[in-house]
Amino acid sequence: MKKKLLPIVKNDPWLEPYADIIEGRHQDVVRKEAELTNNGAMTLQDFANGHKYYGLHRTTKGWVFREWAPHAVKIYLVGTFSDWEEREEYALTAIGNGTWEITLPKSALRHGDLYKLQMHWNGGSGSRIPAWATRVVQDPETYIFSAEVYAPTRPYKFKNNDFKPKTAPLLIYECHIGMAQNAERVGTYEEFRTNILPRVKADGYNAIQIMAIQEHPYYGSFGYHVSSFFAASSRFGTPDDLKHLIDDAHSMGIAVIMDIVHSHAVKNEVEGLGRFDGNYDLYFYGDSRREHPAWDSLCFDYGKNEVLHFLLSNCKFWLEEYKFDGFRFDGVTSMLYYNHGLGQAFGSYGDYYNGGQDTNAITYLSLANILIHQVNKNAITIAEEMSGMPGLAVPVKKGGIGFDYRMAMGIPDYWIKMIKEKKDEDWHPTSIFWELTNRRADEKTISYAESHDQALVGDKTIIFRLIDSDMYWHMMVGDDNYMVARGIALHKMIRLVTAASINGGYLNFMGNEFGHPEWIDFPREGNGWSYKYARRQWDLVDREDLKYKFLGAFDKAMIHLISKIRHFENLPVVKLWDKDDDQVLAFMRGKYLFVFNFNYQKSFTDYGFLAPEGEYSLVLDTDNPDFGGFGNVQDDQPHFTRHDPLYEDTGKGWLMLYLPARSAQVLKLK
């Protein structure tokens, strides 16, 4: 009798040699879920309630605080209420299984009090911020972090309680709260809510993906060295400010995705979990795997049920407490492999099933996706993963890891490589089309031309690579400059061909839509702690005398067009024509025809190729003067196919178009 195969293997015969390994991973998840839920006596949702038990909670009688610290021998709650001294009335009691507890009367604590744990263990002691703290603040003078009692008399109440994200298609505006303003300082949740959300709405994006939410000691880490996993970064404002932002986004029809970091943690011991109760491997590996070799951070031990409890509860907390609509999981490649994927080329299927995969991490990611979709069936999960692990964005029940989408990380690398290494005449449509559409049929992806990664100091954005120093002198309207004209033209074409070929969603990092100049560089010792490059200069796109407005207007038109095409992401991408000698590419999606002429010097008159018969009208033109183009295409002229008896059975005829150099058109079949 032939062995029953999981759907992921049935859908891809190339996976059959690894069917046993894939089945084994799947059974690992099944067994672990059964173990955590007591064989179904409760749900994974019930298991992931650690945030409701641990940490500080207000009760009808007063306060209760609990912490998991199995290696501690004595713990005191210290803070402004005790003059930061160890007092017996604030001593915690061990109640079993490594858990410590203290109950306090209402008068013991009040909103705004600062507190920490004074932890004692065999051979030492130390000050610690509670692992489950939901509010952590930094003293502006001493720079010391402390947990804060957050209990406002009138906490924020959500107005939108049944929001459902629009994901057909998912159009993401990636953003960072602190750098989302013109001023050379840290921006706030409130400023983002009032100033940036309206821009996102007007531009047509239906989701924002917010970076650096979890508290992190070093601002310049971009939020990736997390210290307090349950605390929204206080440098941007209060928890209520963040809730108000999310609530307003929902009222605008905008989903809010959180960039969550479960791939590693900051090494700090005072602010973080590095040596929380005196033990180095409480949450992390205790051997050579403890420290990440490239990130100067600590790696979670996903084989411990207590770590699973902590991380799964963290997922549920953000979904329930703040009503986030899902997560973009950072650093998934690093989690999947024992070597973190460093220095490894993934050239064949065997590279994903050679024993170098961290089965504990794969089990955790699968459980996280199961949990997230239990908490909110409409939640969105995205994996930042660059190795190409098959099944990452396939449901767990089908043998996958359960993400809804995976980031198409090869696309931005491809564009940077093209711009850096290829002459304009060597931009081949066959290569471009293959790169943009080369993906697994059973997995949805988020395509993007560039994200925050391509904008960091040491790298360059697409627009800056195309125009470079001429951006400083020739971006005034009316200033004719070849490099600027080339850059603006290619910037629009790159973004259009990337967005037009999606099979799941499209992502843009804030400011890149209008060609924000220069790079991102957070304040650090090397730049004199300057905020000059850790901001977004919105005035550039708002000014009528600068060419940035053209790129902003084009992006807005492109996003609005894609968003109004019903289930655009599911329409087959049907290539009609590609000719490298001419540098012309054409493909259809439903009734929409996308035509690109990447040729840097040749414009083509009556350029013909076979297309579905009928009448076509122009709906988007990169060469439109409103987008900084030259207006060489007549936008109100209908285009009719010419019948050819030779192709009568195909339903296609010859479509003859004028294709200006370095331009793209979108036409609709009536």
Side-chain angles (χ1 to χ4, degrees):
M1 183 176 177
K2 192 173 181 180
K3 187 176 180 180
K4 187 177 180 180
L5 299 175
L6 287 165
I8 184 178
V9 180
K10 288 182 180 179
N11 293 337
D12 185 353
W14 291 96
L15 288 175
E16 284 194 26
Y18 314 102
D20 289 343
I21 297 174
I22 295 171
E23 178 66 34
R25 290 181 187 173
H26 181 69
Q27 290 305 318
D28 285 342
V29 177
V30 173
R31 283 191 295 270
K32 181 57 71 172
E33 184 178 11
E35 178 187 343
L36 299 180
T37 61
N38 194 19
N39 291 315
M42 60 179 179
T43 66
L44 207 55
Q45 279 200 71
D46 298 323
F47 173 77
N49 277 330
H51 55 290
K52 296 180 180 180
Y53 181 76
Y54 290 109
L56 180 66
H57 299 278
R58 188 159 48 178
T59 68
T60 55
K61 295 181 179 180
W63 303 88
V64 62
F65 176 87
R66 301 184 188 93
E67 190 65 75
W68 180 61
H71 298 92
V73 295
K74 191 73 175 177
I75 305 176
Y76 292 92
L77 198 66
V78 300
T80 50
F81 45 83
S82 69
D83 293 326
W84 296 101
E85 296 176 352
E86 296 181 4
R87 297 180 181 175
E88 285 307 313
E89 63 262 39
Y90 293 107
L92 277 68
T93 302
I95 61 173
N97 297 318
T99 298
W100 295 73
E101 180 184 83
I102 184 173
T103 57
L104 296 167
K106 290 182 179 180
S107 59
L109 300 174
R110 61 184 180 182
H111 176 66
D113 278 343
L114 303 180
Y115 67 99
K116 292 184 181 181
L117 298 176
Q118 191 61 33
M119 195 83 67
H120 294 262
W121 56 85
N122 289 324
S125 64
S127 176
R128 298 289 186 263
I129 292 175
W132 300 78
T134 56
R135 172 72 170 165
V136 176
V137 298
Q138 184 179 27
D139 187 288
E141 295 182 359
T142 64
Y143 302 109
I144 293 174
F145 284 87
S146 302
E148 182 183 57
V149 177
Y150 193 76
T153 54
R154 298 181 64 183
Y156 187 83
K157 292 185 178 180
F158 284 94
K159 301 177 184 67
N160 300 281
N161 293 300
D162 54 357
F163 176 76
K164 183 178 179 180
K166 180 187 177 185
T167 58
L170 184 61
L171 303 168
I172 304 172
Y173 198 80
E174 185 188 29
C175 49
H176 182 282
I177 301 296
M179 61 178 293
Q181 82 300 313
N182 276 35
E184 295 184 27
R185 57 172 173 79
V186 178
T188 67
Y189 297 123
E190 184 64 13
E191 288 174 319
F192 190 95
R193 181 182 71 83
T194 57
N195 299 330
I196 310 306
L197 276 180
R199 289 181 181 271
V200 177
K201 173 66 175 176
D203 287 347
Y205 291 89
N206 56 28
I208 55 174
Q209 179 178 297
I210 311 181
M211 305 174 61
I213 289 295
Q214 294 167 295
E215 191 60 84
H216 45 292
Y218 180 42
Y219 187 51
S221 75
F222 227 145
Y224 290 123
H225 276 192
V226 174
S227 54
S228 296
F229 286 79
F230 289 85
S233 182
S234 62
R235 55 172 57 88
F236 309 133
T238 70
D240 281 1
D241 291 339
L242 177 55
K243 291 175 181 179
H244 196 177
L245 186 165
I246 294 171
D247 206 13
D248 273 18
H250 288 166
S251 70
M252 297 178 182
I254 298 171
V256 186
I257 300 166
M258 176 179 164
D259 204 349
I260 199 167
V261 183
H262 283 178
S263 48
H264 61 136
V266 72
K267 292 170 70 173
N268 301 34
E269 295 180 1
V270 175
E271 296 90 356
L273 305 173
R275 193 187 181 193
F276 187 69
D277 63 354
N279 190 32
Y280 288 100
D281 58 350
L282 184 65
Y283 288 96
F284 311 105
Y285 290 107
D287 53 20
S288 60
R289 296 186 58 200
R290 183 175 187 267
E291 295 193 17
H292 196 290
W295 294 348
D296 191 34
S297 55
L298 302 179
C299 300
F300 285 106
D301 183 351
Y302 305 104
K304 285 186 177 180
N305 285 355
E306 294 86 354
V307 172
L308 296 181
H309 186 228
F310 182 79
L311 295 177
L312 290 173
S313 297
N314 193 236
C315 294
K316 187 179 181 185
F317 168 79
W318 291 108
L319 291 171
E320 289 190 337
E321 181 68 19
Y322 287 91
K323 296 191 183 297
F324 277 99
D325 299 295
F327 305 101
R328 179 261 205 185
F329 277 73
D330 174 68
V332 171
T333 304
S334 176
M335 300 170 70
L336 293 177
Y337 305 97
Y338 292 125
N339 65 1
H340 305 293
L342 299 173
Q344 181 177 349
F346 296 90
S348 68
Y349 273 26
D351 294 328
Y352 306 114
Y353 306 101
N354 59 9
Q357 294 70 41
D358 189 334
T359 54
N360 289 333
I362 292 171
T363 296
Y364 163 66
L365 290 170
S366 302
L367 291 173
N369 277 292
I370 292 171
L371 167 73
I372 291 164
H373 292 102
Q374 278 183 6
V375 175
N376 180 358
K377 66 179 182 180
N378 298 311
I380 300 161
T381 59
I382 305 168
E384 188 223 20
E385 206 283 312
M386 61 186 301
S387 76
M389 168 75 77
L392 195 67
V394 170
V396 175
K397 64 183 179 181
K398 294 184 177 181
I401 297 177
F403 287 96
D404 297 308
Y405 304 89
R406 66 188 308 154
M407 302 290 289
M409 298 185 70
I411 293 176
D413 290 343
Y414 173 82
W415 285 124
I416 292 297
K417 187 177 179 67
M418 283 274 285
I419 296 168
K420 285 175 63 176
E421 301 178 7
K422 300 283 187 181
K423 296 178 181 178
D424 288 8
E425 54 266 38
D426 294 331
W427 286 34
H428 294 155
T430 53
S431 170
I432 292 170
F433 186 81
W434 186 88
E435 181 65 42
L436 296 177
T437 58
N438 176 35
R439 56 205 172 207
R440 297 182 61 81
D442 57 348
E443 299 190 48
K444 291 184 178 181
T445 60
I446 302 295
S447 299
Y448 57 110
E450 54 185 340
S451 69
H452 69 276
D453 288 330
Q454 286 70 42
L456 289 171
V457 66
D459 206 337
K460 293 181 180 180
T461 59
I462 285 177
I463 196 68
F464 206 53
R465 286 194 180 279
L466 290 169
I467 301 178
D468 214 279
S469 61
D470 283 341
M471 287 193 76
Y472 298 122
W473 313 107
H474 302 290
M475 288 297 284
M476 296 291 291
V477 173
D479 184 344
D480 294 329
N481 176 273
Y482 174 78
M483 291 303 294
V484 170
R486 168 185 178 267
I488 288 177
L490 289 176
H491 191 269
K492 290 179 290 186
M493 295 184 72
I494 288 170
R495 299 174 83 78
L496 179 60
V497 73
T498 302
S501 54
I502 61 172
N503 79 327
Y506 173 77
L507 176 142
N508 162 70
F509 180 70
M510 65 176 188
N512 286 357
E513 72 276 10
F514 64 83
H516 196 285
E518 299 170 321
W519 48 82
I520 297 169
D521 188 16
F522 282 88
R524 54 187 172 84
E525 188 175 0
N527 64 16
W529 302 104
S530 170
Y531 287 85
K532 182 178 180 180
Y533 299 110
R535 60 192 178 113
R536 297 283 90 177
Q537 300 176 62
W538 302 106
D539 56 308
L540 296 178
V541 70
D542 292 339
R543 284 176 54 176
E544 288 297 318
D545 60 338
L546 294 178
K547 296 178 182 178
Y548 298 99
K549 69 175 184 179
F550 296 137
L551 294 177
F554 173 75
D555 192 81
K556 182 176 182 178
M558 177 184 78
I559 294 298
H560 276 278
L561 174 64
I562 291 173
S563 67
K564 76 178 184 180
I565 302 173
R566 183 173 173 80
H567 294 296
F568 177 78
E569 77 286 359
N570 292 330
L571 297 173
V573 183
V574 182
K575 183 167 64 175
L576 300 182
W577 181 263
D578 60 350
K579 194 168 192 294
D580 287 344
D581 290 346
D582 296 336
Q583 295 182 275
V584 174
L585 169 68
F587 58 84
M588 290 284 292
R589 300 202 74 165
K591 292 182 178 296
Y592 289 85
L593 169 64
F594 298 84
V595 187
F596 301 84
N597 178 14
F598 286 97
N599 201 296
Y600 73 104
Q601 63 176 356
K602 288 183 181 179
S603 297
F604 298 99
T605 302
D606 290 335
Y607 194 93
F609 55 87
L610 289 168
E613 285 193 309
E615 177 186 348
Y616 290 81
S617 59
L618 185 68
V619 294
L620 186 64
D621 172 25
T622 65
D623 196 48
N624 190 305
D626 291 342
F627 308 142
F630 299 99
N632 289 315
V633 177
Q634 189 173 336
D635 58 9
D636 59 351
Q637 179 181 340
H639 302 273
F640 299 90
T641 54
R642 298 179 184 176
H643 183 72
D644 187 333
L646 290 175
Y647 298 96
E648 193 162 11
D649 294 340
T650 67
K652 293 180 179 179
W654 291 98
L655 186 64
M656 316 298 287
L657 299 173
Y658 174 53
L659 306 179
R662 285 201 187 111
S663 72
Q665 301 171 36
V666 184
L667 300 100
K668 183 179 181 182
L669 176 63
K670 287 189 177 180

